[in-house]
């Protein structure tokens, strides 16, 4: 299997999958639903890796056969086609290799993504909504389920803040590097003098906490407030105290949910979000201790800028951490951000991007 060397121990992986398949056949497996779900999740992850490698190996074999055919027939056109296919396969292998680096404790999980407008009124709120749409489209491109959890509209346009859940395998692992401040430079559509404006919005990413991660919430540590929802949703949602805000007193972490008409469902969603925030908070504390203060703080501050999106006087999106850049600004704002996600992951792992 020529494609496996850089990924993992193929024999060990296939043996592990075989053992998990045998355990999955045990009729007593589901007597312990938590253990069963953990096993099936591990099996799904390994099965996906095995299938990926098998598919890549098959494609490589077909390209090799095409190259041999072109060589035997002295067919330059077929040879060029095979070379093009080989280059595309090399890019796919590189991306799949990066996926194997998503091995953090919660990297395989779905995630919550928050966007907050910076100072600047309508201009910043419009930028926050553009970012919001960019991430939603990225999730849709991946085939993930994207769902709005909380949404606070801006004053006239855009959003002040919003939270979405992106439900899909490794959503958190891919998006966790997007946390930070995003800067936009453009001619403002809200300025009658057509002047250039700089706007900021911050992005936060938290993993959805599943049954494999134990987060204990005690009633004494929570302050739960109800309030009238301010977003869209019709007469009922705007005239009842259905929205929920929960404050975790020991850490002062605050979450809120107002997307549903049911106060009970909003409370359940807010508690799920709070667990995600607390898990991310604990991971951040560990990281900061491990590197003795060398890492930049991830608190939301405008100094924590990670990427610039320049639409005037030239077109350029540039990541200030990795140096990755592109002039295809509209593609990026339409959700084509994989080059930035891949560069951030490669840099973190110390591999070339």
């Amino acid at each position: 299997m020529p494609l496996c060397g850089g990924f993992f121990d193929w024999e060990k992986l296939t043996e592990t999958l075989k053992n998990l398949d045998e355990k999955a056949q045990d009729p007593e497996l589901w007597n312990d639903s938590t253990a069963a779900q953990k096993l099936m999740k591990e099996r799904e992850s390994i099965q996906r890796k095995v299938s990926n490698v098998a598919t890549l190996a098959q494609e490589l074999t077909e390209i090799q056969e095409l190259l041999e055919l072109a060589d035997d027939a002295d067919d330059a056109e077929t040879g060029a086609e095979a070379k093009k296919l080989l280059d595309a396969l090399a890019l796919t292998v590189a991306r799949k290799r990066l996926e194997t680096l998503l091995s953090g404790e919660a990297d395989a999980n779905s995630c919550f993504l928050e966007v907050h407008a910076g100072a600047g009124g309508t201009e910043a709120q419009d930028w926050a909504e553009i970012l919001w749409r960019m991430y939603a489209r990225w999730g849709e491109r991946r085939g993930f389920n994207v769902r709005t959890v909380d949404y606070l509209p801006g004053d006239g346009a855009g959003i002040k803040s919003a939270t979405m859940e992106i439900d899909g395998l490794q959503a958190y692992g891919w998006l966790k590097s997007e946390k930070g401040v995003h800067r936009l430079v453009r001619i403002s559509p809200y300025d009658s003098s057509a002047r250039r404006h700089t706007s900021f919005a911050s992005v936060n990413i938290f993993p959805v906490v599943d049954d494999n991660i134990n987060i204990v919430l005690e009633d004494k540590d929570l302050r739960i407030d109800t309030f009238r929802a301010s977003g869209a949703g019709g007469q009922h949602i705007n005239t009842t105290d259905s929205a929920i805000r929960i404050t975790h007193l020991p850490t002062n972490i605050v979450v809120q949910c107002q997307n549903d008409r049911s106060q009970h469902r909003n409370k359940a969603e807010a508690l799920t979000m709070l667990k995600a925030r607390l898990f991310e908070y604990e991971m951040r504390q560990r990281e900061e201790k491990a590197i003795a203060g060398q890492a930049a703080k991830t608190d939301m501050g405008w100094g924590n800028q990670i990427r610039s999106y320049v639409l005037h006087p030239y077109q350029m999106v540039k990541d200030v951490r990795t140096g990755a850049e592109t002039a295809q600004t509209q593609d990026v704002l339409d959700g084509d951000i994989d080059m930035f996600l891949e560069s951030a992951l490669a840099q973190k792992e110390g591999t070339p991007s």
Side-chain angles (χ1 to χ4, degrees), residues 52-113:
N52 280 338
V53 173
T55 299
L56 293 172
Q58 179 61 33
E59 290 181 14
L60 180 59
T61 298
E62 292 173 358
I63 293 172
Q64 288 173 331
E65 292 173 352
L66 190 61
L67 282 169
E68 291 172 1
L69 179 63
D71 187 51
D72 292 342
D74 196 21
D75 186 343
E77 184 177 345
T78 301
E81 179 186 352
K83 176 62 166 60
K84 185 177 179 180
L85 291 172
L86 190 60
D87 290 342
L89 182 61
L91 288 175
T92 301
V93 170
R95 292 192 181 101
K96 295 300 182 183
R97 181 191 175 281
L98 281 177
E99 285 187 9
T100 68
L101 301 178
L102 298 175
S103 56
E105 188 173 355
D107 280 358
N109 292 23
S110 302
C111 70
F112 292 109
L113 185 148

Side-chain angles (χ1 to χ4, degrees), residues 1 3-22 39 41-56 96-97 99-103 170:
M1 187 70 66
L3 291 167
C4 301
F7 284 100
F8 35 61
D9 186 330
W10 176 256
E11 292 184 0
K12 181 179 178 182
L13 197 70
T14 52
E15 183 65 26
T16 300
L17 180 60
K18 180 181 177 181
N19 291 337
L20 290 173
D21 284 340
E22 291 175 355
L39 184 145
K41 184 176 181 180
E42 182 183 3
R43 180 183 176 278
E44 179 186 0
S45 176
I46 294 177
Q47 177 65 60
R48 184 168 177 264
K49 292 177 182 178
V50 169
S51 297
N52 280 338
V53 173
T55 299
L56 293 172
K96 295 300 182 183
R97 181 191 175 281
E99 285 187 9
T100 68
L101 301 178
L102 298 175
S103 56
Q170 297 179 323

Side-chain angles (χ1 to χ4, degrees), residues 196-230:
R196 189 171 64 190
H197 284 246
T198 299
S199 306
F200 298 93
S202 65
V203 173
N204 249 336
I205 313 288
F206 310 102
V208 173
V209 178
D210 56 24
D211 292 337
N212 295 324
I213 301 173
N214 186 30
I215 301 292
V216 178
L217 297 177
E218 298 187 23
D219 290 343
K220 65 181 180 64
D221 292 335
L222 306 180
R223 185 177 74 236
I224 301 177
D225 301 308
T226 60
F227 60 99
R228 191 162 295 177
S230 58

